[in-house]
Amino acid sequence: MKDKFPRLFAERRIILAPGNEPMLWHVTHRDVHPEPATSRELLERFVKMARAIKAAAPEVQIAGPELWGWPAYFDSAFDKARRDHADRRMRGGVDLLPWYLQELRAEEQRGGTRLLDYVSVHFYPQAQDVFSAAIDLEATRLRIETVRSLWDAGYRDPSWIGARVELLPRLRRWVTEYYPGTRIALTEYNWGGENDVSGALALAEILGVLGREGAGCGMLLDNAAEGSFAAAAYQLFPQRGWSGRDVLAARCSTPRGVDRPPRMFLFSRRATAP
């Protein structure tokens, strides 16, 4: 890879994620990993691969653990399968992702090398028909509304999740407490509706929210097709010179004491030199 993409390596634009959705391996790769993964296996496999990557290419940035969604942020697949909380007891009762950050911070303190540059997770809206091509009134309403699960501490996700997700601020808090200096990354997301204006509005807001909330990386699952409504959202955020630090955002306020979400969000991009 270094021979093929020397400039990308020199500019530290290569991010590698050693292992995808480990808490689903017993489902997606059951032929080679039939048993649900434990917290310790997750950590040990990551450390082994990350050490090898950093030894071969110190300039490469590493992302992990690429957890598939909401339940995996808190519990290992082993605990979900056994339901006896043995793995959680091993972690001292700490949720999985904070524990992972805590252990990698300790690993850096022991070995002197940061192995994790981005804490990375996946998140898909779970409300009915949002992550789909559906464009009925309820699907389009929820497609736009549920973007709030990425940032709004007062918003309860209307799906089976049923919790106040506030994903990006939550990740920031965990990083601050357990492994300062780690950047946050949403490495898989998709709100559906690619060929409808609701998909464009949702994606445009997501891109703005990623910038405002300081995400270092955001990756839409499957590229928006050229000419689609969703692809138009990217035109609001030109790739050249863009970074999370370049995006300024302001939320229209509501009168004090009024318990309803704002109806409008404004995002602006500060121009940077090429």
Side-chain angles (χ1 to χ4, degrees), residues 3 8-10 16 35 55 83-84 90 95-96 107 117 120-121 123 159 163 171 178 238 241 245 251 256-257 267 271:
D3 292 338
L8 294 181
F9 275 87
L16 297 181
E35 297 301 320
R83 299 180 184 276
D84 62 2
M90 183 280 298
D95 289 333
L96 177 59
E107 183 69 29
D117 300 289
S120 58
V121 299
F123 189 85
S159 71
L171 290 174
Y178 295 100
R245 292 183 297 276
R251 177 164 62 92
R256 185 172 298 177
F267 298 96

Side-chain angles (χ1 to χ4, degrees), residues 46-213:
F46 177 86
V47 168
K48 182 179 180 179
M49 289 186 284
R51 280 177 179 165
I53 292 168
K54 291 290 188 180
E59 67 275 26
V60 165
Q61 299 179 85
I62 299 179
E66 294 290 296
L67 298 175
W68 70 266
W70 179 252
Y73 309 160
F74 305 96
D75 292 298
S76 69
F78 184 83
D79 261 348
K80 286 293 185 182
R82 297 241 325 213
R83 299 180 184 276
D84 62 2
H85 305 296
D87 212 21
R88 176 171 284 272
R89 288 197 299 274
M90 183 280 298
R91 301 193 306 268
V94 179
D95 289 333
L96 177 59
L97 194 49
W99 174 84
Y100 175 86
L101 289 167
Q102 175 182 280
E103 292 298 304
L104 287 172
R105 183 183 190 183
E107 183 69 29
E108 180 184 356
Q109 290 170 343
R110 286 191 297 268
T113 300
R114 172 181 276 272
L115 299 179
L116 181 72
D117 300 289
Y118 290 83
V119 56
S120 58
V121 299
H122 302 170
F123 189 85
Y124 294 91
Q126 299 297 307
Q128 185 172 355
D129 291 334
V130 173
F131 178 31
S132 75
I135 56 171
D136 59 88
L137 184 61
E138 183 65 3
T140 55
R141 181 186 71 81
L142 285 171
R143 180 168 293 125
I144 296 170
E145 176 191 304
T146 53
V147 174
R148 293 170 63 194
S149 283
L150 294 179
W151 62 269
D152 190 349
Y155 180 69
R156 188 177 295 276
D157 192 279
S159 71
W160 55 264
I161 291 176
R164 292 181 172 88
V165 176
E166 53 158 350
L167 179 60
L168 298 173
R170 182 186 297 273
L171 290 174
R172 287 205 318 269
R173 289 196 301 273
W174 282 344
V175 162
T176 298
E177 182 172 358
Y178 295 100
Y179 200 0
T182 308
R183 303 193 72 183
I184 61 176
L186 182 60
T187 46
E188 279 191 27
Y189 69 87
N190 193 313
W191 253 251
E194 177 179 319
N195 294 305
D196 184 70
V197 68
S198 66
L201 289 171
L203 181 54
E205 185 178 347
I206 290 166
L207 293 171
V209 167
L210 288 169
R212 184 189 66 198
E213 299 296 327

